[in-house]
Each structure stands twice: as C-alpha cells, then as structure tokens.
Amino acid sequence: MNRPAATRKFGEKREEIVHAASVLINEVGVQATTLAEVARAIGLNATSVTYYFPRKEQLVVAVYDQTLTLMEAMAQEALEQPDPAARLRHFIAAHVALRKRIRAGERGLTTALSEIRTLEPEVQEPLMAHYLRVVDIVRRFFGEWHSNARRALFSARAHILLEAMMWWPVWSLRYSVLDFGRIEERLFDILANGLPSRRGAFEPQELIGNWRTRDADEPGQNEAFLRAATVMINQLGYRGASVNRIAESLNVTKGSFYHHHQAKDDLVLACFQQSYDRLSSAQIAGRDIGTDYWTRLSSVLAELVDLQFFDPTPLLRTTALQALDAEHKADVVTRSNRLARRFAGMLIDGIADGSVRAIDPLVAGQVIMSTVNSAYEARHWAARFDPPGEAIRTYLSAMSEGLLAPSG
C-alpha cells in the first residue's frame, strides 16, 4: 500500500539531486561537480546520493537528458503552431519565459550543453542523438523539403536558431526582466527578417589581413600548442582536450607544454585571446573598407565563417567558457561583449547610411556573435558544398535574408 508514496518520494528526491547538479554544472562545469558537492547542496551525505546515482556519469547524463527533454518539448510545442512565423515566435517566447522563471528564483531548470562532448563516447552518443532529434524538430519549423539544397538550408536555419537561444542566457544577464518583452520582439524581428534594408543583399568583398592560417607557415611551438588546443577543445570540449592529448597530437612531451603554460587554463585563455584577436582584426579590416556598412559587415561575416568552416585553425568555441573559473569567465565574456558592440556599431552606421534595416543593434550584435561562434559545428555540413563559397552564402542567408525568407 505504501509503494506509490515511496515511489513518489524516490522520484522527488531524485529530481532534487538532478536540479542541484544542474546548478553546480552551470556554475563550475562538469569536472568540478562532484557527488559530495551535490549532496552538500541539498543537505545529504554522498552515500545517500549514490543510492540514486551510483556513478557521477549517471547523474551528469540525467542532468543533460532533462535539459534536452525540455528543449524537445519546447520545440515540439512550437512546431504545432500553424506556420513558420508563429513557430519561430513561439520558440523564442518559450526561451525568454524560461529565463524569466530562472531570474525569479527557479534553479536547475536547464543546463548549458557545452560540455556534452567531454563525456565518454558510450555516454555522449545517446545524448547527441537526443540533441539531433531536437534539431530535426526545429528544422521542420521552416516547412517541408523536397531537395537536398532545401534541407541543407533548413538545417542551417535550425542550427543558427538553436545556437542563438543557447547564447541568449549569457547575454540576457545585461538586461532587466522588465525589458525581456521588448528583447523578445527584437530577437524575432532580427531572426525572421535579417539585417540589410535590401533583403537578400550579400556581396562581400575580400579582406586583407593575417587572421588566416597559411599552409606555408611553420608555426613555433607555442603557436602549434594554440592551434592544437583550439581544434581539440572545439572537438572534445575542455575536459576531453587533456594536456596529454594535446602534447601527443604534436609529438612532444608534457614537459614542453608546461614550458609554455603553467596550467591548462592558461592555454585556454591564450586560445580565447588569439581567437578574439583574429576576430577583432577581421572586424577592423572590414570596418575600414570604402563601401556601405552592410557590405562592410557582410564582408567580415564571410571571412569569419570561412575561418570556422575551412581554416585549419578555427576560432575557439565558447564551449570552453563553462569550465573556466568565475574571474576568467567574466573576462572572456567581457571581451566577447566588446566585439559584439563593435558589430553593433557597424549596424548603427549601416542604419545611418540606409544599408541596414532599423533593428536593435545590440541584440543583433549578440545574434551575430552566436552565428559566427556556432559555424564551427557546421563544418561537416559546409564540406558538402561545391563551390565552398556557396556554403558561406547559404549559412549567412540567416543574416542577409532572415530565417523566414522564401526558400524557393
């Protein structure tokens, strides 16, 4: 007779543990989250937690699976709306409402997914399969596809939309919840309709600078470490990119690594610094060419997406951000916001010269940052295009035309 009550109590306690772990993973990352810390957060001892989750990996999977289940439900609810515009609007509203609930004090509702790639393959694969189910639902927001080209376009749209929603929690901290309704409307407008005043305008110019990896260059050892670490962190996450793996990929010893960097965090920060320096250089090169500001901006975006798709040394993904300590994380986010504001400045000048629509440049700057950042994850998608430039044009159509542009 007591079994239903006992089952309910078990489920409630299990949910409490998952919520506590979610909060810790968001704050300090997977590696620093321990069963003992989770237990301490809810007034249990570590042995009590192992009754529900014998191994930490099982708890981490439960945390991520809960977030993916929530994302899937939000996407499915949006898909049930009558048309692409209503689906997009509903999906954005759901993510803004979720952030409002979190601001109001609800904790453990959702977990940043950036460290899924740090998990062992047998644990990671079902989670990635779950995420791909979410992607497939979002891809269907935009209609049916009857060709590979249309499916590729809808895949890019889904990817960019999901990344924009996952970046939103980071930059939403700069706004009061009293402004969330306005931000929701501006986000919808930017994502739905794109940026230029002439919809579909995309004629990027070639930019000259030193942000590309040159095949003929023979990098010094420190530069080689930065390249190897950037690629490995992008592929495997912070934890997966161990010092041993980075050293082995270069056929050097761990001692060589520590000759250049006191700790792995120093290397991650150096990778962020290098990536942001390259991004900044491309921004300045584009900002200073003699044409309208939408062409300047689209030239910068084309260069940066080209880096992410095809360069041997891409820009570092923000997946590494979560594993940094609070002080260094704040520094990285501050620099990211400065780069976003530079994009916003170019948009303001574009509004002034008539080449950019009257949009919110600060919100658009953050959408641009997430679009460029997430392009690395679309490398396999981009590799299917011939010529390669068509991949860049298709991907950036989200900025030049918007996600709701007719697809032919």
Side-chain angles (χ1 to χ4, degrees), residues 294-308:
W294 168 245
T295 302
R296 299 183 200 204
L297 177 57
S298 58
S299 300
V300 175
L301 295 181
E303 282 288 332
L304 295 174
V305 171
D306 193 311
L307 279 181
Q308 296 292 67

Side-chain angles (χ1 to χ4, degrees), residues 9-10 21 119 219 221 230 304 313 332:
K9 185 176 180 181
F10 179 92
L119 305 176
Q221 194 168 75
T230 297
L304 295 174
T313 313
V332 171

Side-chain angles (χ1 to χ4, degrees), residues 82-236:
D83 56 63
R87 294 165 195 156
L88 178 61
R89 189 179 291 279
H90 193 281
F91 193 62
I92 293 170
H95 280 272
V96 173
L98 177 63
R99 198 51 37 186
K100 278 185 182 178
R101 290 169 61 194
I102 292 170
R103 282 282 192 95
E106 292 189 54
R107 307 186 80 199
L109 292 175
T110 183
T111 310
L113 301 176
S114 57
E115 290 195 274
I116 283 181
R117 292 189 185 279
T118 70
L119 305 176
E120 294 300 320
E122 66 271 15
V123 175
Q124 180 191 137
E125 286 169 8
L127 292 173
M128 291 303 297
H130 196 168
Y131 178 73
L132 290 176
R133 291 202 302 273
V134 177
V135 173
D136 186 61
I137 294 170
V138 176
R139 180 165 46 220
R140 295 177 188 278
F141 286 5
F142 307 105
E144 298 297 321
W145 54 84
H146 306 289
S147 67
N148 289 337
R150 196 168 182 182
R151 187 182 190 279
L153 173 63
F154 291 175
S155 294
R157 289 178 177 181
H159 179 68
I160 287 168
L161 175 57
L162 282 165
E163 288 286 344
M165 293 301 95
M166 286 189 278
W167 185 237
W168 150 248
V170 176
W171 62 269
S172 66
L173 297 172
R174 300 174 63 83
Y175 291 88
S176 163
V177 292
L178 299 176
D179 296 317
F180 275 17
R182 177 186 170 278
I183 300 302
E184 181 182 320
E185 287 297 319
R186 300 303 180 266
L187 262 174
F188 172 79
D189 177 46
I190 290 160
L191 287 166
N193 302 307
L195 302 175
S197 55
R198 181 167 61 87
R199 193 171 196 173
F202 189 74
E203 298 169 356
Q205 296 186 13
E206 183 178 356
L207 302 181
I208 306 301
N210 62 354
W211 48 80
R212 292 180 180 276
T213 302
R214 304 187 192 283
D215 293 337
D217 287 353
E218 191 65 40
Q221 194 168 75
N222 190 49
E223 176 66 21
F225 271 120
L226 291 175
R227 288 186 188 180
T230 297
V231 171
M232 198 165 289
I233 292 169
N234 281 355
Q235 292 176 347
L236 303 177

